[in-house]
Each structure stands twice: as C-alpha cells, then as structure tokens.
Amino acid sequence: MLWVSVAAAAAGCNTSAAGPAGGGGGRGGRGGRGGDGGPAPVVTAKAAEKDVPVDLAAIGNVEAYASISIRSQITGQLQDIAFHEGDFVKKNDLLFTIDKRPFEAALAQADANLTRDKALLAQSEAQLARDASNAEYQQLSSERQAQLVQRGIISRDVAEQARAQADATAAVVKADRAAIESARAQLVAQQAAVDAARVSLDYTTIRSPIDGRTGNLSVKVGSLVTANNTELITVARVEPVYVTFSVPATHLPTIKQHITKDPLPVIAVPQDADATPANGKLTFVDNAVDMTTDTIKLKATFDNTDRRLWPGQFARVTLRLATLPHALVVPSQAVQTGQDGQYVFVVKPDSTVEQRTIVPGQRVADDIVVQKGLEPGETVVTEGQLRLEPGSRVTTDLSPRGGGGGRGRGGRGNRGQGGGQPGGGQPGGGQPGGGQPGGGQGGGRAPQ
C-alpha cells in the first residue's frame, strides 16, 4: 500500500508538469515582463531668463534713532508725573514737575536785588552830575582868582587855595564816575542772578526733548531728585530707526560706489511671529574695517512708521548690491552634484535625458543662476533624478498608467497536491500573478 501511494503521487506530479495550464512541478508559471524599458516619471521645469537681485544676507540689530536719558538739572521734590511709562510722547510734552516754591522765592529775591542795584546806579549818576557841576564852578573860580593875582588885587595864597579846591572837586567827579561803573557792573551781575533764578525755576518743569516712547519709570511722586544724578526715565525715538549689521569687507568697493549716488536698498525682517519685511536705505559705512573679522560695519535707516522694528531687536537683513539683468535661472532642485562638478538632466525633444555640466552662480530664493551650460527655454528635471542615467526615456505623466520603471515578474502559483490542476501565473504590467490551487482532492493541502 505504501508503494501504491508513492507511485500515485509521482503520477500526479508527472501529470501536472505536462498540463497545459502552468509551469512544471505544480508551480505557477512566470508572468511576462511589465514596463521593460518604459519611460521614468519625472517633474520638469523650464530654464528662464529674469532679472536677479544680488543680495547679501546678515543678522542686524535695531537701534533707536535717538535715546535720551532724562535727568533733573536741579535738586527738589518731585510733585507730579504727567504720563504713564511706555507712552508715546511728542517733543515739548510735559513729563515731570518739581516743587517750585524754593525757586520762586530765589527769583523774587534776585529781582529785589536787581531793583536795589538799579536805584544805586541812579543815585551814583545823580551824585556824579552834582559833583561835575561843582567841579566846573571851582574851575572857573580858580581861573578868575589867577587873573586877579596877575593884576595884584588879591594875594597869591587865595588863588592857590581856589586852584586846590578845583582840583579836589575834579577828583571827586572821577570817583563818582568809577562808582557808576561799579554800580553798572553790579547791575549786570544781579541781572545774571535773576536770569539764573528764572532758569532754575524753568527747570522745575521737565519736558520731552524729542518725539519717542518712554521707558521704565525709576522715580515716584514725592521722591527727592538730585541735580544731574538721578535718571528719571529714558525716551527713545523709534520713527525712524537704525539697523546695524556687518558684511564681508570684499564688498566694500561696491558699497562705496553706491553710497554717494543712490543709497543701496536694505530689507529687514524682525525675528518674531510676524515676518513682514521692512524697507530701508543704507546710510552709514564705518570708517574702518574690523581686522579681527574682516567685516565692515554698516547702518541702514528705516522710516518705521508702522513701528515694526523695535530697539534692541535682532533682524534678518538683506542688502541688495546690484541686479543681474536677463539672468538664466533654474529651480535649485534641478542642480545635482557629481564627481565632475554640478550638473542637470536636460530633457531632449525625443523625451530622453542628457546629463549636462553647468556653472552655477548666485542663489536667489528657490532658484539658482546658471552662468554656463544651459540655454533659455531648455527643460530640466527637478524631481526623479535618482532613476535616471544619460539616455533614459522620461515622461511627465505621473498617473498609475504612465509607465513603470523596472521589470516585473508574474507571481508563482501555489503548489497543489492531489489530483487537481495547479494554477498558472498571470502576466501583468509589472504586477505578480497569483497561482490558483489545484481543485482535486488528495492527501495534503496547498501551502500558503
């Protein structure tokens, strides 16, 4: 019985090998090759001409156009604060008020002393007028006495006494004139004291020297502020603002060439959630190159009317040096790097590709300028380069029917045991065909 079963099994195997439906040994036949030599699906783009800006990228720092530290120029008690910290203020807006009473009293005293000195000057002038008249009379009297002496009417002693009296009166006049000059000088000094007292009184009201935004308030009402010592607040002008940055010194000749004629445009994007760019112009080039880094410090001015830029903030800065007219550009994904340098796959009119070495130039956003190696209007591959080699056929149809790239084999049928017929593999477009198990009954079952 054992011999009969083995013979029957062998007969069943021979029968399946000779069957017309599939491959020998109960295996499903191999399917046909699908997509052999078919076009590879790729994404392409055209090489185009356009004006390309030549930009320098840097990280800059925003600076206030002016930052003023507000300090008191007198010592006194702070009586009033006319703003809230963080407010925007205009030039000459009232900020602080200091107790005025001591300074009003000092001004009143200075005014009184000025009035006194004016009266003393008037008194000295009147004294001079009286003494001058007396001196003139004494001079005339002395001259008459001298004539009488010559005639022998009076003695020489009387004439000499008259002459001495006239000289003494003239000396008094000179003294009066000196007193008047002293009184005038005292009057000028007292007028200066009045002006100083008035200025000190004006210092009791502190006003904003510029348009700007106030910072942190360091004093409170009732505090004693000291002259030129206590910083009350800072006011920063934020319209316009500066952005300071550095670029390699190799670009200095180009920058100097444009700084005198037409300022170079600068774009700043603050590093915050709102990436809206701000446009400004280059307004300052430092007078020396930093020898440690070989960079030059630059400064751009921005109107900042929307207050996008804030002092102390970092920003991504782009300095536009020039614009390349009619430059040939391709997407950066199209440029590959090989042993011989950088290259692109160019799609020819017969839908085959050519590997062509190029000379890349300036990178602009997602594009690269091609200096040599391409012509305007040529088609380059931007995706799918890994499946290509020179001469490969390509297609831009990315649908499932667009063609397969490799060879597909039909699947092997499952081995059927028993008296049934094994299934054959089904050919397809690169898809394996599944073998069908035999339909007869036997001692075993088809493996999975």
Side-chain angles (χ1 to χ4, degrees), residues 117-444:
D117 291 341
K118 286 180 178 179
L120 291 176
L121 176 61
Q123 182 180 358
S124 297
E125 289 175 345
Q127 183 72 24
L128 174 63
R130 185 190 65 181
D131 291 341
S133 298
N134 189 23
E136 184 178 1
Y137 170 75
Q138 293 295 338
Q139 181 65 29
L140 294 175
S141 177
S142 173
E143 291 176 356
R144 286 194 299 270
Q145 294 293 338
Q147 292 176 359
L148 293 176
V149 169
Q150 291 177 357
R151 296 177 182 177
I153 299 176
I154 60 174
S155 67
R156 186 174 295 273
D157 291 339
V158 175
E160 290 178 351
Q161 289 179 358
R163 181 65 183 172
Q165 185 67 28
D167 291 342
T169 308
V172 171
V173 171
K174 291 182 179 179
D176 290 342
R177 288 174 177 170
I180 289 176
E181 294 298 326
S182 176
R184 287 175 177 173
Q186 182 64 29
L187 185 64
V188 172
Q190 193 56 45
Q191 182 64 53
V194 171
D195 294 339
R198 185 171 287 111
V199 169
S200 296
L201 181 60
D202 291 339
Y203 284 158
T204 59
T205 56
I206 301 176
R207 299 180 180 275
S208 176
I210 59 173
D211 296 344
R213 181 182 173 92
T214 58
N216 181 47
L217 186 61
S218 58
V219 293
K220 303 297 180 183
V221 173
S223 300
L224 180 66
V225 296
T226 306
N228 302 318
N229 188 21
T230 306
E231 182 181 80
L232 306 180
I233 204 168
T234 57
V235 179
R237 185 175 179 181
V238 296
E239 299 179 35
V241 294
Y242 291 128
V243 175
T244 303
F245 59 100
S246 298
V247 299
T250 55
H251 302 288
L252 184 57
T254 303
I255 294 173
K256 290 192 300 183
Q257 179 182 358
H258 289 83
I259 193 67
T260 56
K261 296 184 299 184
D262 49 340
L264 296 175
V266 180
I267 299 175
V269 180
Q271 295 182 343
D272 53 19
D274 186 3
T276 304
N279 296 314
K281 293 185 180 297
L282 184 66
T283 54
F284 169 77
V285 179
D286 203 358
N287 58 0
V289 175
D290 189 346
M291 294 185 295
T292 59
T293 60
D294 194 32
T295 58
I296 184 71
K297 182 179 179 181
L298 307 177
K299 189 178 292 186
T301 304
F302 294 78
D303 293 336
N304 201 35
T305 54
D306 56 354
R307 297 168 186 167
R308 284 276 296 111
L309 302 175
W310 212 247
Q313 190 178 32
F314 287 98
R316 296 187 299 273
V317 179
T318 302
L319 172 64
R320 180 155 299 174
L321 293 178
T323 300
L324 301 177
H326 307 295
L328 186 64
V329 297
V330 296
S332 58
Q333 302 95 321
V335 180
Q336 305 293 308
T337 302
Q339 295 180 349
D340 298 331
Q342 293 181 302
Y343 65 91
V344 295
F345 281 109
V346 179
V347 181
K348 297 191 292 186
D350 60 355
S351 297
T352 60
V353 294
E354 172 191 355
Q355 181 175 324
R356 189 180 301 174
T357 303
I358 64 170
V359 178
Q362 178 81 16
R363 184 186 182 103
V364 182
D366 295 332
D367 295 333
I368 290 182
V369 176
V370 178
Q371 297 178 348
K372 293 182 181 179
L374 280 180
E375 296 294 333
E378 289 190 304
T379 303
V380 295
V381 178
T382 59
E383 294 183 21
Q385 294 97 326
L386 295 178
R387 306 177 62 182
L388 301 181
E389 59 185 13
S392 297
R393 185 175 297 277
V394 296
T395 179
T396 56
D397 185 4
L398 302 182
S399 63
R401 296 182 180 181
R407 296 178 177 179
R409 295 179 179 271
R412 298 176 181 269
N414 295 328
R415 183 189 300 270
Q417 297 184 8
Q421 301 292 333
Q426 303 295 330
Q431 303 294 331
Q436 302 297 328
Q441 296 182 358

Side-chain angles (χ1 to χ4, degrees), residues 63-82:
E63 297 179 1
Y65 193 81
S67 183
I68 308 299
S69 175
I70 306 296
R71 299 175 185 268
S72 174
Q73 294 181 274
I74 57 174
T75 299
Q77 186 180 28
L78 189 63
Q79 276 193 336
D80 184 44
I81 300 175

